[in-house]
Amino acid sequence: MTNAPASASLATWDGVPMDLVIYNTLTRVKEAFTPIDPVNVRMYVCGPTVYDYAHIGNARPVVVFDLLFRLLRHFYGADYVTYARNITDVDDKINARAEVEKRTIREVTETTASQYHSDMAALSALLPTMEPRATEHINDMKAMIENLVAKGFAYVAEGHVLFEVGKMPGYGKLSGRSLEDMVAGARVEVAPYKRDAMDFVLWKPSKPGEPSWPSPCGIVEDGRPGWHIECSAMAGKHLGEVFDIHGGGIDLTFPHHENEIAQSCCAHGTQKMANYWLHNGFLQVEGEKVSKSLGNFITVHELLESDKVGGRTWPGAAVRLTLMSAHYRQPLDFTQKGLEESEKLIERWAKLIDGVETSSDAEPPVEVVEALCEDLNTPRAIAALHGFARAARSGDIGAVQKLADAAAFLGLMPESWQDVEAQTAEAATADPELAVRVEGLIADRLAARAAKNWTESDRIRDELAAEGIVLKDGKNPETGEMETTWELKR
Ligand code: AMP
Ligand code: ZN
């Protein structure tokens, strides 16, 4: 991994200039990537709403943007790239789940967020640089809402604050829709307090029992933020008014990303929120849309830990390779057959590179870098690995090393290496000084939780997460008491 900042905005590989070309939804063409500041490259990706296990479709953007994160770190240096992926921990689905399970909202969001972390770690996705949470940014959202009202872009009506879409020139540019198309297709809520059907909620009243905060704009009743304002406020706070890359699944283009742009540009007085907008295509399962009613709703957790697919569990590397098998903008059909093929490939590669030293920081082969520079062309990167494997079988030692370095860079660690990683993690777990420090912080966190000091308990969890330490909250099966265990994930 390159650790020095790139001196020019052009990405380089081993001193050779190389353009990273990415398709920009905003301009509808492939563009050479040039960061605003090569020593501070910034990417924001819309993250999970933490109410249940992530399904396999949700894992697609995680793997796609993890690859982009790895490539940016390679070019600009790990210390010079900031990747923010939010956690939406205020939402109707969360409230509904807490209600059904008679658990607190906080319990639902904490458990789900930690399940998400362990599932995504099993897919070798690096932790983003930061994971801002909606509930920790309510004041930032309120300030942004008040700013929008003061500038005349938003209005207060019956305890709500609404963004007035007609005031935003260029609304619809990202998704390429006219206002009429949007009204026809969006199934927008036509509420009597809206000046126009397209106006969207920035703040709304909370129903009894729902989370609520003191409202902005002089509204007397407590309330809660809308979903779109969350991303605008957190991206603005952590990445600045205009940053480099914004990503998410294609379904988020409209209305979510269109609304993020409207809020951010109007609040900051800027022409853009981000220079490059990237969207992954949708994943289907066995040729059908992922849906609970079709019975093909598979969670990552079920693939890794249950016999739901093919009566057995699947290695994370095989799941990741299957997710990489189609170009990220194309639809992807996730099938058991695809998983089986991926697993075979991983095993074959593992045999060839058995005993070869490498790590995810190893210099990736130019063929792989070139493939990813072509709008993250993962099928071409995988073809390069096939080529190395063929050469390795005919006795080319250099190709063996290339195969190992490429697999490590792409996060396709075969099981044998994951064992090595697990051993390293175990060794670190056995490190008495680390163990004492972590146990101490866990005790502080439990105390903070007992005192309902969620800010402090989250701060401790985030401090540990930054070191790759994932906390798992659960009940001790013998005593029935709540306890927290920990694991070093990288
Ligand atoms: P959600 O929790 O529904 O907001 O989704 C989290 C992320 O997963 C978003 O970026 C979605 O666009 C993405 N996503 C959801 N379903 C799929 C799918 N079937 N295929 C690809 N991406 C998806
Ligand atoms: Zn978002």
Side-chain angles (χ1 to χ4, degrees):
M1 198 71 60
T2 323
N3 281 319
S7 53
S9 57
L10 198 64
T12 62
W13 181 85
D14 216 10
V16 183
M18 187 176 282
D19 270 346
L20 162 58
V21 173
I22 45 182
Y23 180 85
N24 191 349
T25 311
L26 195 59
T27 56
R28 289 168 182 67
V29 286
K30 288 187 191 166
E31 294 175 13
F33 174 69
T34 308
I36 297 164
D37 177 359
V39 294
N40 185 16
V41 182
R42 288 156 287 160
M43 171 163 81
Y44 185 93
V45 174
C46 299
T49 304
V50 282
Y51 69 100
D52 204 349
Y53 284 113
H55 67 68
I56 185 64
N58 302 137
R60 191 172 193 198
V62 174
V63 169
V64 166
F65 292 103
D66 176 64
L67 285 167
L68 183 54
F69 184 38
R70 285 168 185 253
L71 192 64
L72 294 171
R73 284 159 54 104
H74 169 68
F75 281 135
Y76 298 98
D79 295 341
Y80 303 98
V81 181
T82 304
Y83 171 19
R85 184 181 66 203
N86 66 298
I87 291 185
T88 298
D89 58 356
V90 45
D91 183 83
D92 286 342
K93 293 189 202 117
I94 301 173
N95 304 339
R97 176 144 193 154
E99 175 72 30
V100 168
E101 298 192 344
K102 301 281 165 255
R103 293 159 78 202
T104 65
I105 283 167
R106 198 72 195 188
E107 274 165 7
V108 171
T109 58
E110 289 265 321
T111 318
T112 314
S114 97
Q115 286 159 347
Y116 185 80
H117 284 133
S118 44
D119 288 345
M120 298 310 140
L123 302 187
S124 289
L126 303 174
L127 272 178
T129 322
M130 58 177 74
E131 292 191 289
R133 287 175 173 240
T135 51
E136 285 167 20
H137 292 79
I138 301 290
N139 285 339
D140 302 295
M141 297 181 216
K142 283 165 58 174
M144 195 167 202
I145 292 170
E146 288 186 338
N147 176 352
L148 286 166
V149 172
K151 289 186 175 152
F153 293 107
Y155 59 95
V156 178
E158 295 183 26
H160 296 71
V161 187
L162 294 133
F163 187 94
E164 192 165 358
V165 167
K167 292 270 173 74
M168 160 74 181
Y171 184 81
K173 189 170 167 221
L174 180 74
S175 50
R177 293 164 191 236
S178 67
L179 266 179
E180 296 82 68
D181 288 351
M182 290 188 251
V183 175
R187 280 185 284 161
V188 284
E189 194 188 341
V190 186
Y193 48 81
K194 284 189 183 181
R195 288 184 191 164
D196 185 279
M198 286 308 295
D199 295 351
F200 61 88
V201 163
L202 300 172
W203 189 268
K204 56 187 166 190
S206 294
K207 298 192 187 87
E210 287 180 350
S212 63
W213 291 267
S215 296
C217 310
I219 298 170
V220 180
E221 306 84 30
D222 286 356
R224 61 191 174 116
W227 169 38
H228 314 301
I229 194 72
E230 168 190 326
C231 287
S232 283
M234 295 195 286
K237 176 164 183 180
H238 296 288
L239 302 184
E241 293 181 354
V242 185
F243 52 92
D244 297 299
I245 300 173
H246 194 311
I250 189 76
D251 58 319
L252 299 185
T253 315
F254 177 80
H256 184 54
H257 289 166
E258 207 73 76
N259 292 353
E260 279 191 39
I261 293 174
Q263 296 161 154
S264 294
C265 291
C266 293
H268 303 313
T270 49
Q271 291 300 312
K272 281 182 176 174
M273 178 182 184
N275 282 333
Y276 304 86
W277 286 79
L278 268 66
H279 294 98
N280 64 272
F282 247 44
L283 171 151
Q284 296 198 320
V285 174
E286 306 288 354
E288 307 247 37
K289 185 172 179 258
V290 181
S291 122
K292 283 210 164 128
S293 57
L294 289 174
N296 68 353
F297 186 97
I298 315 165
T299 66
V300 176
H301 185 78
E302 283 166 337
L303 283 166
L304 301 169
E305 310 273 345
S306 87
D307 60 1
K308 179 160 175 183
V309 176
R312 45 163 297 199
T313 61
W314 297 89
V319 178
R320 182 172 170 110
L321 182 58
T322 312
L323 290 172
M324 287 168 55
S325 61
H327 185 269
Y328 78 95
R329 286 194 287 119
Q330 298 300 321
L332 169 71
D333 191 19
F334 191 88
T335 61
Q336 185 180 326
K337 190 158 168 276
L339 268 175
E340 284 161 2
E341 279 163 15
S342 299
E343 185 181 39
K344 266 190 220 134
L345 272 178
I346 299 274
E347 281 169 3
R348 243 182 269 154
W349 294 342
K351 269 192 207 132
L352 287 169
I353 58 183
D354 191 26
V356 178
E357 265 189 41
T358 188
S359 77
S360 52
D361 287 342
E363 199 65 24
V366 66
E367 293 87 338
V368 168
V369 177
E370 263 178 3
L372 293 184
C373 279
E374 191 185 81
D375 194 25
L376 298 181
N377 191 338
T378 48
R380 184 173 154 195
I382 296 168
L385 268 73
H386 283 300
F388 303 147
R390 260 195 310 275
R393 273 196 295 277
S394 59
D396 180 343
I397 302 292
V400 176
Q401 187 66 52
K402 276 188 172 187
L403 179 62
D405 294 343
F409 180 72
L410 295 172
L412 295 171
M413 298 279 210
E415 285 303 286
S416 55
W417 292 3
Q418 282 182 357
D419 291 347
V420 174
E421 280 213 321
Q423 282 161 16
T424 322
E426 251 174 55
T429 311
D431 170 350
E433 268 180 40
L434 179 73
V436 167
R437 194 166 61 78
V438 176
E439 296 295 341
L441 283 169
I442 288 177
D444 292 349
R445 178 169 169 269
L446 284 175
R449 284 160 63 99
K452 299 205 185 318
N453 184 348
W454 307 117
T455 312
E456 175 62 3
S457 83
D458 278 357
R459 191 197 60 72
I460 296 172
R461 191 208 45 241
D462 289 347
E463 182 185 324
L464 290 168
E467 296 177 42
I469 293 164
V470 178
L471 300 184
K472 282 191 188 155
D473 296 316
K475 273 202 179 118
N476 181 316
E478 278 162 28
T479 62
E481 278 177 29
M482 286 298 286
E483 64 171 18
T484 303
T485 53
W486 62 281
E487 234 180 304
L488 188 62
K489 289 282 186 189
R490 60 176 183 190

